[in-house]
Amino acid sequence: MTLRHFLRDDDLSPAEQTRLLDLAAELKAEPWSRRPLEGPQSVAMIFDKPTLRTQVSFGAGIAELGGNPMLVEGRLAGIGVRESVEDVARVLARQVSLVVWRTFFQADLDTMAAHAGVPVVNALTDDFHPCQLVADLLTVREHKGDLPGLTVAFVGDAACNMGNSWLLAGTTAGMHVRVAAPPGYQPTGAVLDRAAEIARETGGSATCFHEAEKAVAGADVVVTDTWISMGKESEEASRQAVFGAYALTSELLALAAPDAIAMHCLPAYRGKEIAAEVIDGPQSVVWDEAENRRHAQKAVMTFLLEASR
């Protein structure tokens, strides 16, 4: 058996990403057309970080696929503290068909995948948020059509998981990905190099700017995220001072293409990283984006189960 996991965005080839998005669109149109978890088989959902969209979309999606969403309380399990990641992985493998984990360290997720014996899904780490990107790309495709050749601008903290995932997933889709962030908050060289490598294959590109205006100019899609990621709360005051020039305001959005769409993976803080008139305005697709988490994640789980047979 070839075991497949979804740990970071570039786990998918360009062809696989396209197939996954097609499957997500199919499952959105016909929610109960695929039942790979019929039985029901159980899926472990582990949350070490606060969650709303991830928990409800995976829970609903697992049920729609015929399965049982098994909530594993991360603090009670004490993964990596009370028991090693390796031992937890071996226990879960005897009980469930998939493991979905929202946690801090990418290395822990990699360890889980190495020992679980069932597909493991990254529901968010500090480094990547690949399920969100499947939902985001599905949303862009619904509103803008074919992805190759589109330009997306990510403004704010580009060193966060969303900045990293947009670089990898966007270039995999053949998009031109621009990120804008102040010095000290830009993606690592490793992520930029990997995005550039993918872009050479797909015809996309990955470019890093200091000025938000340069990144947004003429863009088809403009994306932001909270400046205060989980675990960074103590830096709130300093981060607001640093990122003020990167707020997604109506003035900044006006520099994008006239029919550009605005995106935010939520939770959003109006008046900080995004203006209320933008997130609640006619160019916002944020609520479609949030709904599409369910359809995207159903596609991810179906893909992994079928590929791991």
Side-chain angles (χ1 to χ4, degrees), residues 72-191:
V72 179
E73 204 345 298
R75 287 171 295 182
L76 293 178
I79 301 172
V81 178
R82 182 171 174 266
E83 295 189 67
S84 70
V85 176
E86 293 89 340
D87 285 357
V88 171
R90 294 181 183 108
V91 169
L92 290 177
R94 303 291 183 101
Q95 307 292 340
V96 302
S97 297
L98 283 144
V99 175
V100 174
W101 195 10
R102 181 181 176 93
T103 192
F104 294 89
F105 303 113
Q106 187 75 23
D108 287 344
L109 192 78
D110 294 340
T111 300
M112 178 74 76
H115 293 86
V118 296
V120 174
V121 179
N122 181 353
L124 176 144
T125 64
D126 288 349
D127 291 341
F128 302 104
H129 200 354
C131 287
Q132 180 68 56
L133 260 291
V134 179
D136 285 4
L137 293 177
L138 176 63
T139 306
V140 173
R141 201 166 74 161
E142 289 174 343
H143 288 270
K144 305 297 294 181
D146 292 340
L147 299 177
L150 292 177
T151 297
V152 57
F154 181 94
V155 296
D157 182 3
C160 74
N161 49 19
M162 283 298 293
N164 291 340
S165 280
W166 262 110
L167 282 162
L168 297 186
T171 53
T172 299
M175 301 174 76
H176 301 292
V177 184
R178 305 171 182 168
V179 298
Y185 298 93
Q186 298 198 335
T188 65
V191 170

Side-chain angles (χ1 to χ4, degrees), residues 3 25 38 60 63 82 84-85 94 106 141 165 174 192 206-207 215 218 233-234 239 258 265 285 290 307:
L3 190 60
E38 195 76 77
R82 182 171 174 266
S84 70
V85 176
R94 303 291 183 101
Q106 187 75 23
R141 201 166 74 161
S165 280
L192 286 169
T207 313
E233 290 81 4
S234 63
R239 281 175 168 260
C265 67
V285 297

Side-chain angles (χ1 to χ4, degrees), residues 27-51:
L27 289 169
K28 185 171 184 176
E30 300 180 59
W32 299 280
S33 60
R34 302 282 190 111
R35 306 278 286 179
L37 291 168
E38 195 76 77
Q41 300 174 55
S42 292
V43 176
M45 304 189 305
I46 312 169
F47 301 108
D48 297 332
K49 287 191 170 191
T51 178

